[in-house]
């Protein structure tokens, strides 16, 4: 598991990033503004999505160990700006209250059960930090006022994505490969893809050159793995087809 923030720090980041999200929504010209990074979504859709998910994950954490998640409730969401922001703030507080009550080690259902990130409240808190982080970017983009991400949070975001979304025991259906992600701030990660699945791998001085590599700021790398930027936004070396294969891959565990 990649080094990350302490549990209390994750909860603080959820709160801070959610405040930034609300500010971006409030600054937008309209709740009907399109979200360029989420095709076919308006800003209202984005707030509804994130707030509903905060409530759902609050219920998941509160339920504790389970074979399946509780149903996602389709709540009535107000369409007036002030009421919508209040509804989202309440959604976020429900999540934080559940996480505080549970503590970092309570097990719960997670969709990344086979991955590197733990199936507990700490893993949920870490994932929610980066969901809110990236959706804050989406909201800022819709408002036309993108703000830089905190570098340390973006760095952990790249690692968290590899620990969850790019960790699977499903066999890689192509020739074995490795991908090197390098942040100009001085952090790097390696992803190994082979018959055993996809797993973050340790970087060693004597490792063979990666099949492909992507270099950019931590924020650029995070937005790339989340599908907000493309290879043209980064410095790509090696075989770009490996990235194309990874992006298109939908493993079944």
């Amino acid at each position: 598991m990649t080094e990350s923030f302490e549990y209390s720090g994750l909860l603080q980041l959820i709160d801070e990033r959610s405040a930034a999200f609300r500010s971006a929504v409030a600054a937008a010209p309209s709740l009907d503004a399109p979200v360029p990074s989420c095709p076919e979504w308006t800003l209202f859709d984005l707030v509804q999505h994130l707030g509903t998910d905060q409530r759902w994950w609050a219920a998941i954490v509160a339920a504790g160990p389970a074979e399946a998640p509780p149903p996602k409730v389709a709540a009535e969401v107000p369409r007036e700006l002030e009421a919508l922001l209040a509804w989202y703030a309440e959604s976020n507080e429900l999540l934080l209250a559940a996480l505080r009550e549970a503590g970092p080690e309570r097990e719960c259902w997670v969709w990344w059960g086979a991955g590197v990130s733990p199936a507990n409240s700490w893993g949920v808190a870490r994932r929610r930090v980066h969901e809110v982080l990236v959706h804050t970017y989406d909201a800022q983009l819709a408002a036309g006022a993108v703000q830089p991400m905190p570098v340390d949070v973006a760095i952990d975001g790249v690692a968290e994505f590899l620990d969850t979304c790019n960790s699977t025991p499903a066999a890689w259906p192509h020739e074995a490969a490795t991908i090197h992600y390098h942040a100009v701030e001085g952090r790097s990660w390696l992803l190994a893809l082979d018959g055993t699945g996809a797993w973050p791998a340790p970087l060693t001085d004597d490792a063979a050159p990666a099949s492909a590599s992507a270099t950019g700021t931590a924020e650029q790398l995070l937005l790339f793995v989340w599908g907000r930027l493309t290879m043209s936004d980064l410095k790509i070396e090696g075989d770009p087809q490996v990235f194309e294969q990874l992006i298109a891959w939908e493993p079944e565990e």
Side-chain angles (χ1 to χ4, degrees):
M1 183 172 60
T2 305
E3 180 182 348
S4 181
F5 295 93
E6 295 291 335
Y7 192 64
S8 60
L10 292 173
L11 302 193
Q12 181 178 346
L13 284 171
I14 291 173
D15 205 27
E16 290 176 355
R17 291 299 91 202
S18 288
F21 177 77
R22 294 195 302 272
S23 295
V25 173
S30 166
L31 289 173
D32 294 323
V35 182
S37 48
C38 300
E40 300 182 6
W41 275 15
T42 65
L43 194 55
F44 173 83
D45 296 328
L46 182 65
V47 179
Q48 182 181 43
H49 163 76
L50 188 55
T52 299
D53 271 9
Q54 299 294 70
R55 291 169 183 256
W56 186 51
W57 281 103
I60 289 170
V61 169
E67 293 296 321
K72 187 179 290 190
V73 178
E76 287 290 328
V77 183
R79 286 189 168 269
E80 188 274 325
L81 177 61
E82 186 174 344
L84 179 65
L85 292 176
W87 173 83
Y88 175 77
E90 180 184 62
S91 305
N92 197 64
E93 186 50 44
L94 286 171
L95 173 65
L96 288 172
L99 290 168
R100 292 188 195 104
E101 173 67 22
E105 297 182 5
R106 177 188 288 176
E107 296 180 356
C108 60
W109 175 90
V110 296
W111 54 258
W112 60 88
V116 175
S117 193
N120 60 18
S121 300
W122 186 91
V124 171
R126 190 184 185 205
R127 170 108 289 240
R128 298 318 298 166
V129 165
H130 299 300
E131 286 274 355
V132 180
L133 178 69
V134 174
H135 285 322
T136 297
Y137 165 84
D138 296 329
Q140 291 173 345
L141 196 63
V146 175
Q147 301 295 318
M149 293 178 180
V151 172
D152 58 340
V153 185
I155 285 172
D156 185 65
V158 178
E160 192 276 342
F161 192 92
L162 299 183
D163 287 348
T164 52
C165 300
N166 284 159
S167 292
T168 174
W172 173 245
H174 308 285
E175 182 179 348
T178 53
I179 294 177
H180 182 199
Y181 297 96
H182 176 66
V184 298
E185 293 89 352
R187 294 294 294 273
S188 296
W189 304 267
L190 192 67
L191 180 68
L193 304 158
D194 58 26
T196 69
W199 307 107
L203 280 164
T204 59
D205 293 336
D206 58 351
S211 308
S213 68
T215 300
T217 65
E219 178 174 337
Q220 287 174 322
L221 291 173
L222 177 64
L223 293 174
F224 173 63
V225 296
W226 275 77
R228 270 58 177 179
L229 296 182
T230 67
M231 285 190 283
S232 63
D233 298 301
L234 301 168
K235 179 183 177 182
I236 302 295
E237 296 179 298
D239 183 2
Q241 185 181 27
V242 177
F243 286 111
E244 295 168 358
Q245 291 170 338
L246 180 61
I247 292 167
W249 188 34
E250 296 181 0
E252 295 183 5
E253 296 183 10

